[in-house]
Amino acid sequence: MPGQIIDRYEHVPVTQEDLEWADLITLDLSLYEKPGGKEELVKQLDHAVRNVGFFYVKNFNISQEEVDRQFALGREFYSLPLEEKLKFHNMHDLESGEYNGYRPAGHRILGNGIKDNVQVYNIPKFDGYHQRKQPAVLADNIGEIEAFSRKCHEEVVVKLLRLFAILLELPDEDQLVRSHRYDAKGEDHLRYMHYAARSASENQQVGDLYSPGHTDLGTVTLLFRQPVAALQILNSEGRWKWVKPQDGTITINTCDALTALTGGLIKSSVHRVHAPPADQAHVDRLGVLYFARPNNHVVLDPIQNSPLLNRLGLTSNAFTELGQHLTTEQWVKVRQTQQQRPRVSAKISDDGKYIYEKKDLEIMPGLHATIHN
């Protein structure tokens, strides 16, 4: 039983600003079990993952009450005193690629002396390989958190993996499911993420960005609907567009490991976090996300038995072109180490472009992270 009564989470009103919203498809997962439903969903998915890497899903069998409970737990955690949260932070672990637990705001200087404004708390999936002490407010509700984590996997990730398998014309639609088993050792995790509102002058000094353009490193990321507009995507025409909070949806983006497995066919979506519009600029932004990744032992070479990839000649990727055959575990470690290690702050141009020293972006010899301006 929960150790304390947690107040219901109340979402703030959506923005009334007239923003340039991205035109994204919505996959209705209620079609999934219907005759011909998966094939219809794949037709919708095809263009989205090849060109943008972003889409919505609805009717995913996780109630709004369950989602709001996770927002409430995130709120309660971030309401704890800093000294209490810091008990779950380890700088050495963070800089060596271990990212579970707490990361305080101010870990990086973005540029012009302005530190980042984001706090992160990562809860690894419950596969038996990531035993961690949790703060009391989360430990008291850990059964509920595990149930939510597993539902993210079973109700959303597994279904998407089968749709990807059909798209790739694989002989078995469970092929990708088997390389993403929840109970096998892996780096999937649930995240509570908190962005603190900043002053207009501080935002201006960092190009009005909370986080510059980047890709995620796994298979897919699930972002549960929250009303503070900030997420932007780089569309197929090279323009930044705002992602609109849609009731009853999860925003999905495809990521680096899936791009590697598909030889670049499925796009790793480029996105950034912009300062919110004027009518929400004073509001802190709380996010609930789930990051899905292949199991740790999976080698991130292009899938060899995909007729579609073979027809298109997509038989190599950024790793294999360097003679590397990385497992998911190796990729996560080198990428997270690059992301989390201390680095010199960026030079930020007047038009908001972030420029880092090349050495700060090196993931491994011959491969560098890209900051998408």
Side-chain angles (χ1 to χ4, degrees), residues 104-125:
H107 178 65
R108 302 191 191 105
I109 298 177
L110 296 178
N112 296 323
I114 305 297
K115 293 183 177 181
D116 76 80
N117 62 336
V118 59
Q119 300 176 75
V120 171
Y121 193 82
N122 289 333
I123 302 173
K125 68 171 180 169

Side-chain angles (χ1 to χ4, degrees), residues 336-352:
Q336 286 287 355
T337 300
Q338 179 272 322
Q339 285 181 322
Q340 304 299 345
R341 68 177 177 238
R343 63 192 182 200
V344 176
S345 63
K347 294 179 181 177
I348 303 176
S349 64
D350 291 341
D351 58 351

Side-chain angles (χ1 to χ4, degrees), residues 26-70:
T26 301
L27 296 186
D28 183 353
L29 293 184
S30 69
L31 297 175
Y32 181 84
E33 301 291 352
K34 296 180 179 179
K38 283 185 277 195
E39 290 72 21
E40 178 60 33
L41 290 170
V42 168
K43 289 179 185 176
Q44 297 176 48
L45 189 61
D46 190 0
H47 177 80
V49 298
R50 292 201 204 200
N51 292 280
V52 182
F54 259 90
F55 54 95
Y56 302 105
V57 297
K58 67 179 182 179
N59 295 323
F60 43 82
N61 292 333
I62 303 174
S63 70
Q64 189 61 48
E65 181 181 5
E66 290 172 289
V67 173
D68 286 348
R69 278 286 295 176
Q70 295 306 309

